[in-house]
Amino acid sequence: VYVLTRPAIGFYEILPVVAILPVVGLMDQTLFLAARGEHYWTTAMCFLYVSSSAWIPGAKVVQLGLWFWAGFSKLNRHFPYVVGVMNSNSPFTRFAFMRRLMYKNYPEDVNPSALARIAGHWGTAVELGIPIILMVSPVGSYGHYAGMALMLGLHIYITSNVPMGVPIEWNFMVVYGAFYLFWFNADVSLTTLPLPLAVFLAVMLIALPLIGNIYPRAISFLISMRYY
């Protein structure tokens, strides 16, 4: 309430938020996870640098990490099943013959069809490609435009399918963040990241996801960004 009623947001407005959430999470880890701490809390830590523009490259790194690890988590054998079921429940595949295209031989064999597998692999490639393209492409280049187009297409596709059990609002937030960070502030370089923030982000976006993928029982799938 205090933060929401301030005329401007600064370090001392953000500090209580980023300090209280992990403390509450120690008492009930579900609260920290439900708050999507690996995304929103990590980004809020970047907001501690709101008095300078240093928070922008930090938020960019968080966004790039989310895309990369979400794509990485799709490198498995079961993701085509996810795509097949999602597409067959989409409001845009209302006709039975369209839904059956997602399965080998419905109803006798409900393993994903070749089409569902291709769609799954394409989605994986796109989500892995978006952060790489946006990170290496010069501002205003064809690569930059392509990265933004792929980003928008991916999240529109996910949202339009109205997938069950998916935090749809997260997809809206990611699109909004992508346009603010990689379009309106595309010229802000990642090299301007302050060292303390860079170390923190390395832990949250590299170390913990790596450990969580190697030892999945040790760290929550959200902190590990093992979304699939």
Side-chain angles (χ1 to χ4, degrees), residues 43-206:
T43 306
M45 289 292 288
C46 300
F47 293 163
L48 291 174
Y49 291 84
V50 70
S51 59
S52 66
S53 61
W55 73 269
I56 296 178
K60 281 186 174 184
V61 172
V62 175
Q63 196 94 326
L64 293 171
L66 289 168
W67 278 319
F68 175 81
W69 287 110
F72 186 85
S73 71
K74 294 181 173 112
L75 295 172
N76 54 57
R77 295 183 179 182
H78 65 258
F79 185 63
Y81 291 83
V82 176
V83 172
V85 173
M86 180 178 73
N87 285 332
S88 65
N89 282 282
S90 170
F92 295 100
T93 57
R94 299 178 63 87
F95 302 103
F97 80 92
M98 296 178 67
R99 297 185 173 185
R100 288 171 179 159
L101 290 175
M102 294 294 108
Y103 304 100
K104 280 188 175 181
N105 184 25
Y106 182 88
E108 284 75 21
D109 187 348
V110 291
N111 283 294
S113 65
L115 179 60
R117 293 184 182 278
I118 291 172
H121 295 319
W122 169 249
T124 302
V126 167
E127 196 151 25
L128 282 171
I130 289 170
I132 297 173
I133 292 172
L134 291 178
M135 189 166 57
V136 303
S137 298
V139 177
S141 66
Y142 288 116
H144 181 236
Y145 295 139
M148 293 298 296
L150 287 172
M151 176 280 303
L152 186 60
L154 174 70
H155 291 288
I156 287 177
Y157 170 71
I158 296 171
T159 305
S160 66
N161 279 281
V162 195
M164 297 177 291
V166 171
I168 290 295
E169 84 289 342
W170 184 83
N171 287 277
F172 285 100
M173 182 63 70
V174 169
V175 171
Y176 171 80
F179 273 102
Y180 184 84
L181 296 170
F182 297 98
W183 189 268
F184 295 108
N185 290 284
D187 57 335
V188 178
S189 173
L190 300 181
T191 59
T192 60
L193 198 63
L195 182 59
L197 185 57
V199 172
F200 169 76
L201 294 178
V203 172
M204 293 298 298
L205 303 175
I206 299 177

Side-chain angles (χ1 to χ4, degrees), residues 19-53:
I20 291 172
L21 182 57
V23 172
V24 173
L26 290 174
M27 294 184 285
D28 184 352
Q29 63 179 348
T30 303
L31 294 176
F32 184 83
L33 297 174
R36 294 304 295 271
E38 89 287 355
H39 179 187
Y40 298 125
W41 180 74
T42 306
T43 306
M45 289 292 288
C46 300
F47 293 163
L48 291 174
Y49 291 84
V50 70
S51 59
S52 66
S53 61

